[in-house]
Amino acid sequence: YVAIWLDQAGEEKLAASSGSETTDLVSFPLAYQGETIGRLEVARRAPNEQFSEADYRLIEKIAQQAGAAAQTVRLNTELIRSRAQIVNEREDERLRIRRDLHDELGPMLAAQGLKLSAARQMMRTKPEKAESLVDEVIQQSRQTVADVRRLVHGLRPPVLDQLGLVEAVRDLARNHGGGLALEIIAPSDGLPHLPAAVEVNAYRILLEAWNNAVRHSHASRCLVKFQAEQDMLVISIQDNGVGMPKDYRSGVGLRSMRARAEEIGGSIRIDDGKPHGTRITARLPLPAFEGNTK
Amino acid sequence: YVAIWLDQAGEEKLAASSGSETTDLVSFPLAYQGETIGRLEVARRAPNEQFSEADYRLIEKIAQQAGAAAQTVRLNTELIRSRAQIVNEREDERLRIRRDLHDELGPMLAAQGLKLSAARQMMRTKPEKAESLVDEVIQQSRQTVADVRRLVHGLRPPVLDQLGLVEAVRDLARNHGGGLALEIIAPSDGLPHLPAAVEVNAYRILLEAWNNAVRHSHASRCLVKFQAEQDMLVISIQDNGVGMPKDYRSGVGLRSMRARAEEIGGSIRIDDGKPHGTRITARLPLPAFEGNTK
């Protein structure tokens, strides 16, 4: 009997097994680039029979080989989970928007129509009643404008539609300044047209990077550089501060930046700035999907 | 010089290379489960030097081994691409909804408010003018209701909110009947609460399967069975028709069913029915994401 257990999202899960299960097992760690990512379990040939030195060495070698394959399986599982989660969140959002619009806005507009028709009829005969109906509708209408605005703001950062990505960063620096001077370098003829996802995720990455620089770097200046390569938007954010503490490199802010880049097929890189400070580089692919594959 | 080329979405792409490039190369196919998925290119040791029989056998063996690894790389690349595409589509949709609401509904409601205020003022002095303003608003408001309905219908099949998944299928059969009798088996105490994505994707899979049965199967009956397992919704659609032509098994309808299942981490299986017909089984995981990982 042989079984492979993998650590998946903090839980150990059975990935593969062969032979009939038994309890008398010897366990070998599966590692990938120094990190233990699971266990290889092997049954003794006979109860209480010890493995020989050579057996151990052989199985350890197999466990090493299996480590790389196991890492791929973990990565695949994680990708499938991540995609499913994005789809689940998308459909939850659609449901929420649908309910906001269909169950609230729709009936409200219908009720407005009725009130206005009634007001229209009695305008000459009962002007006071008509006035009060029109007042109600005006009041409700203001409420509706506010509701729609709230719904709209939740969908994507409004500043992107008002200012575009580059100016949105300048705006960000103005509003979350923290005494940090911002310099922006962008192509003189502007960025190419960015897909909505690249624009939004770039903005969220920049927001996170800026906040980090303001809160932790003790920097006085921050340089944000936008470059459009053939099929890639490359953004680097460089400050002249104290650099990142080593333990931050896996912190929440960085994880969220990385997730933002990865969900659109991009990557984040962190380098020590020269002569000091930190440089964060985001590489975000500009998709060229001819035709939808659905 | 050694290089690995992989077929990715119909294009051959360089996946890895080592050494300095040269033009005098011998090419070996990389295969996985009988399918050619790429090429291994190896440079001759010296110009025009032939590989020996033993060299060929060795490289072919390496190409076989590399096939499995290459398949994993392809699968990973495809998963990353697929996730990025879903995120891109989501953000395009958010942008579209935002524009519909912010650029059209917002200003329109604001304009309505102004017209109503004006009507309110002149109701007693210029009733005809006031009436015509109110008429305009009533007219516009009808248009807005229609616009909102259009927006809402695009978000998810409205029938799901009206009837729920099981009854939506009955409705589907009524409206796209094609002389096929439908029998539904569902848990007597109803299905558990389904996440929006599972409900929508299940419905789209059922719609596709039903259309296939109506158009191609020459069946007279179709049995749809819903089962809720612990963390899985299992749906089987079985007809008593002629079965699927072999070449259909990779057709567009089936690909779209499979994509719908896979994007939420599920799977589709197709079996020959007993004694005839086709059975399609969709297994869709019910996610239990405690807390959002974002």
Side-chain angles (χ1 to χ4, degrees):
Chain A
Y1 175 76
V2 174
I4 291 178
W5 293 82
L6 295 180
D7 300 337
Q8 303 258 358
E11 259 180 88
E12 196 173 55
K13 288 189 179 155
L14 185 64
S17 69
S18 101
S20 53
E21 202 165 349
T22 147
T23 49
D24 187 20
L25 295 163
V26 185
S27 177
F28 297 82
L30 289 177
Y32 181 74
Q33 297 191 341
E35 187 200 354
T36 300
I37 58 170
R39 288 185 299 121
L40 177 69
E41 279 186 345
V42 183
R44 297 176 203 283
R45 287 194 202 82
N48 298 319
E49 185 213 36
Q50 294 295 312
F51 283 125
S52 70
E53 239 341 90
D55 285 341
Y56 268 108
R57 271 204 302 277
L58 178 65
I59 297 173
E60 267 165 10
K61 197 160 266 174
I62 291 171
Q64 268 169 31
Q65 295 290 324
Q71 175 62 9
T72 316
V73 171
R74 281 177 86 209
L75 185 59
N76 257 305
T77 311
E78 174 49 30
L79 274 169
I80 289 168
R81 195 202 60 77
S82 151
R83 183 177 61 173
Q85 183 173 350
I86 289 168
V87 172
N88 273 293
E89 286 168 4
R90 178 190 71 192
E91 293 301 329
D92 286 346
E93 177 179 83
R94 283 179 175 169
L95 181 61
R96 205 169 57 243
I97 296 172
R98 185 184 143 74
R99 295 220 165 129
D100 278 359
L101 294 178
H102 184 267
D103 300 357
E104 293 179 23
L105 189 60
M108 224 250 266
L109 288 172
Q112 281 189 10
L114 292 178
K115 277 185 194 165
L116 288 181
S117 298
R120 168 81 173 74
Q121 296 307 319
M122 46 178 116
M123 215 178 268
R124 301 190 196 218
T125 51
K126 298 181 192 160
E128 269 147 54
K129 186 92 175 99
E131 280 172 350
S132 102
L133 280 172
V134 170
D135 281 343
E136 275 178 42
V137 173
I138 291 174
Q139 197 54 44
Q140 279 188 339
S141 191
R142 275 197 204 116
Q143 184 57 46
T144 309
V145 171
D147 288 348
V148 168
R149 182 168 302 143
R150 194 175 32 74
L151 182 68
V152 157
H153 279 211
L155 287 175
R156 65 188 236 124
V159 70
L160 287 176
D161 290 324
Q162 288 151 21
L163 302 176
L165 179 59
V166 175
E167 289 309 309
V169 174
R170 223 184 287 283
D171 189 65
L172 177 68
R174 254 196 306 274
N175 295 323
H176 307 262
L180 201 52
L182 170 71
E183 185 185 350
I184 293 182
I185 299 178
S188 58
D189 51 350
L191 292 173
H193 171 77
L194 301 176
V198 173
E199 202 178 36
V200 170
N201 286 24
Y203 181 72
R204 297 239 158 90
I205 289 167
L206 282 158
L207 180 61
E208 192 64 48
W210 179 263
N211 282 337
N212 279 337
V214 167
R215 275 184 291 176
H216 307 300
S217 76
H218 303 288
S220 61
R221 296 161 42 78
C222 184
L223 170 67
V224 175
K225 188 169 167 191
F226 295 91
Q227 278 169 284
E229 291 179 6
Q230 213 174 0
D231 53 357
M232 201 69 86
L233 174 67
V234 182
I235 304 175
S236 75
I237 306 111
Q238 175 152 21
D239 65 49
N240 64 349
V242 296
M244 269 192 191
K246 285 293 170 217
D247 63 348
Y248 182 72
R249 302 214 159 203
S250 57
V252 174
L254 185 54
R255 267 215 300 282
S256 118
M257 270 190 252
R258 184 151 278 149
R260 286 284 171 187
E262 286 176 353
E263 72 169 17
I264 54 170
S267 63
I268 292 280
R269 206 177 118 175
I270 300 194
D271 300 296
D272 289 321
K274 276 165 194 155
H276 40 76
T278 302
R279 186 172 68 231
I280 297 174
T281 310
R283 298 177 61 82
L284 309 176
L286 303 173
F289 302 127
E290 312 88 338
N292 206 312
T293 58
K294 267 193 283 191
Chain B
Y1 175 74
V2 174
I4 291 178
W5 293 82
L6 294 180
D7 300 336
Q8 302 259 1
E11 257 180 87
E12 196 173 56
K13 289 191 182 157
L14 184 66
S17 68
S18 102
S20 54
E21 201 166 351
T22 147
T23 49
D24 187 22
L25 296 163
V26 184
S27 177
F28 297 82
L30 289 177
Y32 181 74
Q33 296 191 343
E35 190 201 351
T36 301
I37 59 169
R39 286 187 299 122
L40 176 69
E41 279 186 344
V42 183
R44 298 177 202 282
R45 286 193 203 84
N48 297 320
E49 185 213 35
Q50 295 295 312
F51 284 125
S52 70
E53 239 343 271
D55 286 342
Y56 269 108
R57 270 204 303 276
L58 177 65
I59 298 173
E60 267 165 10
K61 198 160 265 170
I62 291 171
Q64 268 168 33
Q65 295 290 323
Q71 175 63 8
T72 316
V73 172
R74 280 177 87 208
L75 186 60
N76 255 305
T77 310
E78 175 50 30
L79 273 170
I80 290 169
R81 195 201 61 76
S82 151
R83 182 176 63 172
Q85 185 175 350
I86 289 167
V87 172
N88 272 293
E89 286 167 4
R90 178 190 72 193
E91 293 301 329
D92 285 346
E93 179 180 82
R94 283 179 174 169
L95 181 62
R96 206 170 54 243
I97 295 172
R98 184 182 145 77
R99 297 223 164 128
D100 278 358
L101 293 179
H102 183 266
D103 301 355
E104 293 179 22
L105 189 61
M108 224 250 267
L109 288 173
Q112 281 188 10
L114 292 178
K115 277 184 194 167
L116 288 180
S117 298
R120 168 81 173 75
Q121 296 307 320
M122 47 179 119
M123 214 178 265
R124 301 194 195 214
T125 51
K126 298 181 190 160
E128 268 147 52
K129 186 85 175 104
E131 279 173 350
S132 102
L133 280 172
V134 170
D135 281 344
E136 274 178 42
V137 173
I138 292 174
Q139 197 53 45
Q140 279 187 340
S141 192
R142 273 195 206 119
Q143 183 57 45
T144 309
V145 171
D147 288 349
V148 169
R149 181 169 302 143
R150 194 175 32 75
L151 183 67
V152 155
H153 278 212
L155 287 176
R156 64 187 237 124
V159 70
L160 286 176
D161 289 324
Q162 289 151 21
L163 302 176
L165 180 58
V166 175
E167 289 309 309
V169 174
R170 222 183 289 282
D171 189 66
L172 177 69
R174 254 195 306 274
N175 295 323
H176 308 261
L180 200 53
L182 170 72
E183 187 184 351
I184 293 181
I185 299 178
S188 59
D189 51 350
L191 292 173
H193 170 78
L194 300 177
V198 173
E199 201 177 39
V200 170
N201 286 24
Y203 182 72
R204 296 241 159 88
I205 290 167
L206 282 158
L207 180 62
E208 193 66 47
W210 178 262
N211 280 338
N212 279 337
V214 166
R215 273 184 292 174
H216 306 300
S217 75
H218 303 289
S220 61
R221 295 163 41 79
C222 184
L223 171 68
V224 175
K225 189 168 166 192
F226 295 90
Q227 278 168 283
E229 291 180 7
Q230 213 173 2
D231 53 357
M232 202 67 87
L233 175 67
V234 183
I235 305 175
S236 75
I237 306 110
Q238 175 152 22
D239 66 50
N240 64 348
V242 296
M244 270 193 192
K246 284 293 171 217
D247 62 349
Y248 182 72
R249 300 211 162 206
S250 57
V252 173
L254 184 53
R255 267 214 302 280
S256 117
M257 271 190 251
R258 183 152 279 149
R260 286 282 172 188
E262 286 176 354
E263 72 169 19
I264 54 172
S267 63
I268 291 281
R269 207 177 116 173
I270 300 196
D271 299 296
D272 290 321
K274 278 165 192 153
H276 41 75
T278 303
R279 186 170 70 232
I280 297 173
T281 310
R283 298 177 62 82
L284 308 177
L286 302 173
F289 303 126
E290 314 85 337
N292 204 312
T293 58
K294 265 196 281 189

